[in-house]
Amino acid sequence: QSALTQPASVSGSPGQSITISCTGSTSDVGGYNFVSWFQQYPGKAPKLMIYEVTNRPSGVPDRFSGSKSGTTASLTISGLQAEDEADYYCGSYTSSSTPYVFGTGTKLTVL
Amino acid sequence: EVQLVESGGGLVQPGGSLRLSCAASGFSVSDHYIDWVRQAPGKGLEWVGRSKNKPGHSIDYAASVKGRFTISRDDSKNSVFLQMNNLKTEDTAVYFCTDVLAQVDYWGQGALVAVSS
């Protein structure tokens, strides 16, 4: 099972919006609504930001939103803030030989 | 407060073994899938394996660790374990326990496993 494809890096200025894509296949992203997004600061554990494509856990700002179209899921951060600078990973249930796969990861830089 | 705490990491020689523990508090592991996820230095997240909850407690592994790693759980201790045998240098990573399908943020702080001679 290959990793889901994410851009290696994205950047934006404070206040702007950015979108991170996560491309898979019909066996994972395109076939199920079990896509999650995780935020990770250097040296820290990942933190759940979005689950089941569009849902935010309690405490996650509504600046973070998720969506899906076909085999590509997306994480959008609006009103970008300096504290959003981190690595972001998508993950999805998959019907392949292993039941879960992560994305390749995206480094977000706030300019 | 929901919490997962990993322990048992350390330095081990290639071919050696190590057992990681994942202790839960604030919730019952018997009600959850528990996944092991690892992150090699400077690399991305890699799903390692999963212990499903009742009734079957079935277990799945990534191809990279199948046959070398074994996941078990002790619901009475509210804990899940990762037995790692025949370790290779490429197994060097921080190992996290979590529930990747959860609707709540369940991630431990991680345990560092270093495989080196």
Side-chain angles (χ1 to χ4, degrees):
Chain A
Q1 174 68 41
S2 299
L4 307 175
T5 301
Q6 299 180 231
S9 62
V10 298
S11 63
S13 299
Q16 289 185 332
S17 294
I18 63 94
T19 297
I20 300 172
S21 61
C22 170
T23 302
S25 68
T26 54
S27 297
D28 38 64
V29 174
Y32 306 92
N33 288 326
F34 288 109
V35 177
S36 297
W37 288 92
F38 305 93
Q39 176 192 64
Q40 187 181 34
Y41 294 114
K44 300 296 186 182
K47 175 187 176 183
L48 178 67
M49 304 301 284
I50 297 287
Y51 66 92
E52 293 173 11
V53 180
T54 62
N55 299 293
R56 279 187 312 276
S58 176
V60 172
D62 60 6
R63 303 184 293 104
F64 291 83
S65 62
S67 62
K68 189 181 81 168
S69 177
T71 59
T72 298
S74 298
L75 173 71
T76 298
I77 308 174
S78 58
L80 207 56
Q81 298 182 3
E83 68 205 49
D84 299 331
E85 184 165 294
D87 294 326
Y88 291 84
Y89 294 90
C90 62
S92 174
Y93 171 83
T94 169
S95 59
S96 70
S97 56
T98 53
Y100 199 84
V101 62
F102 285 102
T104 49
T106 299
K107 180 176 179 59
L108 169 62
T109 300
V110 180
L111 301 171
Chain B
E1 179 190 10
V2 169
Q3 195 172 20
L4 287 167
V5 178
E6 301 93 341
S7 60
L11 175 63
V12 62
Q13 293 186 336
S17 298
L18 212 56
R19 187 190 193 218
L20 301 183
S21 299
C22 171
S25 58
F27 73 102
S28 175
V29 296
S30 62
D31 296 331
H32 286 264
Y33 289 10
I34 297 296
D35 300 276
W36 287 95
V37 173
R38 70 183 180 183
Q39 187 170 36
K43 303 297 184 181
L45 301 174
E46 179 187 12
W47 182 85
V48 171
R50 166 178 294 163
S51 172
K52 295 182 180 179
N53 57 353
K54 297 177 182 179
H57 284 321
S58 64
I59 300 174
D60 298 302
Y61 299 97
S64 57
V65 306
K66 199 167 188 177
R68 300 187 299 120
F69 289 13
T70 301
I71 295 173
S72 61
R73 63 162 71 205
D74 186 338
D75 288 346
S76 67
K77 294 182 179 180
N78 213 25
S79 295
V80 178
F81 308 97
L82 180 64
Q83 177 68 42
M84 303 181 290
N85 297 331
N86 190 21
L87 282 160
K88 306 176 181 181
T89 55
E90 53 262 39
D91 294 319
T92 293
V94 175
Y95 286 73
F96 299 97
C97 60
T98 181
D99 176 356
V100 293
L101 296 177
Q103 300 178 1
V104 177
D105 189 34
Y106 288 116
W107 284 82
Q109 84 287 352
L112 176 62
V113 172
V115 185
S116 174
S117 55

